[in-house]
Amino acid sequence: MSGTPTRILLADDQDDVRSGFRLVLDSQPDMTVIGEAADGATALDLARRLRPDVVLADIRMPRLDGLELTRLLAGPQAAQPTRVVVVTTFDLDDYVHTALHHGACGFLLKRSGPALLIEGVRAAMAGDALISPQITVRLLRQLSPPPRPRTTAEDNPAPDTRPVPLTARERDIVRLVARGSTNQEIATRLFISAGTVKTHLANIQSKLKVRNRVEIAAWAWETGLVLPGT
């Protein structure tokens, strides 16, 4: 990658978490951590003064929580909106919905690992939204419609028999995305490189006309490519 590195601000009340994130992100040639805050109020002040490209914000912080910080930095009333990715231990649905409603461009769980953290920053810079696969699967299962009742040929004389526009390998990748696998997990499972997975995902997005892995997973559940319990 070329150009100026992505400038990142870390907001988390745990010193060891911030240190770990800094090590991961500063190891990337296209990223640099420009500041740290141990509470939400300090993070808000630093974000307004330093103008980072991305803020990684925990939810439960002193003085100002991460959800309110997200609203102030990324919400519709923000004078100069900042990309905020929420990174937390708590995967409560209310937190996910509130964060996204307030303008967050990602919601990651700390246990998801360094690869997804890096991917989340890059997705934010690309104008995408990345949600931890575990959360995506749970939310999509809640939103999935119940199975349609079986009908006779008379009830449904002209079913849609158009083939799914994906190769067998692409279908395998879509199933794994819908079950919550990360790119690295998909690569390991299918004995291919992570770069090859990314290429396949780009092709899948183009074919399905979707924007991100969340919508790929939604397509898989809606079309029955992945069923509850499978």
Side-chain angles (χ1 to χ4, degrees), residues 97-195:
H97 291 302
T98 300
L100 296 178
H101 178 72
H102 285 348
C105 54
F107 194 103
L108 306 178
L109 299 180
K110 291 179 180 178
R111 65 176 181 270
S112 295
L116 204 65
L117 184 69
I118 294 167
E119 196 174 337
V121 172
R122 290 187 177 141
M125 290 301 294
D128 202 352
L130 183 63
I131 302 176
S132 280
Q134 306 96 312
I135 299 173
T136 300
V137 170
R138 188 178 72 244
L139 294 180
L140 289 174
R141 280 177 173 158
Q142 293 172 2
L143 296 173
S144 294
R148 295 177 181 175
R150 294 183 179 275
T151 58
T152 65
E154 291 76 13
D155 294 329
N156 187 13
D160 186 354
T161 57
R162 290 174 296 177
V164 175
L166 301 178
T167 66
R169 175 48 57 90
E170 288 168 347
R171 289 165 67 92
D172 289 340
I173 290 175
V174 168
R175 289 188 186 97
L176 291 172
V177 168
R179 289 169 182 150
S181 299
T182 66
N183 285 3
Q184 188 56 57
E185 289 169 343
I186 293 171
T188 301
R189 178 75 176 270
L190 299 180
F191 303 102
I192 57 180
S193 71

Side-chain angles (χ1 to χ4, degrees), residues 8 20-34:
I8 304 165
F21 285 178
R22 178 183 280 273
L23 285 172
V24 169
L25 299 170
D26 277 344
S27 72
Q28 301 302 301
D30 58 334
M31 298 180 190
T32 182
V33 175
I34 62 168

Side-chain angles (χ1 to χ4, degrees), residues 1-223:
M1 296 184 183
S2 60
T4 305
T6 298
R7 302 166 68 252
I8 304 165
L9 173 66
L10 305 178
D12 195 294
D13 62 342
Q14 298 182 55
D15 293 343
D16 57 340
V17 170
R18 296 197 311 276
S19 297
F21 285 178
R22 178 183 280 273
L23 285 172
V24 169
L25 299 170
D26 277 344
S27 72
Q28 301 302 301
D30 58 334
M31 298 180 190
T32 182
V33 175
I34 62 168
E36 297 183 21
D39 64 80
T42 300
L44 180 64
D45 178 63
L46 285 176
R48 288 174 170 169
R49 287 195 291 111
L50 301 177
R51 304 306 305 166
D53 298 308
V54 177
V55 175
L56 299 184
D58 191 13
I59 288 183
R60 298 187 182 179
M61 293 186 291
R63 301 178 65 197
L64 187 71
D65 67 57
L67 296 176
E68 181 64 9
L69 175 65
T70 300
R71 185 185 71 80
L72 293 171
L73 290 178
Q77 285 148 10
Q80 295 178 292
T82 303
R83 300 176 186 91
V84 178
V85 177
V86 173
V87 188
T88 183
T89 304
F90 307 99
D91 62 346
L92 302 177
D93 290 350
D94 284 348
Y95 284 169
V96 180
H97 291 302
T98 300
L100 296 178
H101 178 72
H102 285 348
C105 54
F107 194 103
L108 306 178
L109 299 180
K110 291 179 180 178
R111 65 176 181 270
S112 295
L116 204 65
L117 184 69
I118 294 167
E119 196 174 337
V121 172
R122 290 187 177 141
M125 290 301 294
D128 202 352
L130 183 63
I131 302 176
S132 280
Q134 306 96 312
I135 299 173
T136 300
V137 170
R138 188 178 72 244
L139 294 180
L140 289 174
R141 280 177 173 158
Q142 293 172 2
L143 296 173
S144 294
R148 295 177 181 175
R150 294 183 179 275
T151 58
T152 65
E154 291 76 13
D155 294 329
N156 187 13
D160 186 354
T161 57
R162 290 174 296 177
V164 175
L166 301 178
T167 66
R169 175 48 57 90
E170 288 168 347
R171 289 165 67 92
D172 289 340
I173 290 175
V174 168
R175 289 188 186 97
L176 291 172
V177 168
R179 289 169 182 150
S181 299
T182 66
N183 285 3
Q184 188 56 57
E185 289 169 343
I186 293 171
T188 301
R189 178 75 176 270
L190 299 180
F191 303 102
I192 57 180
S193 71
T196 299
V197 173
K198 290 181 180 179
T199 299
H200 280 305
L201 287 173
N203 292 336
I204 291 166
Q205 288 176 205
S206 177
K207 289 182 178 182
L208 299 181
K209 295 180 172 55
V210 299
R211 296 171 298 174
N212 50 52
R213 68 192 302 125
V214 176
E215 293 184 2
I216 291 174
W219 179 88
W221 286 90
E222 289 169 0
T223 60

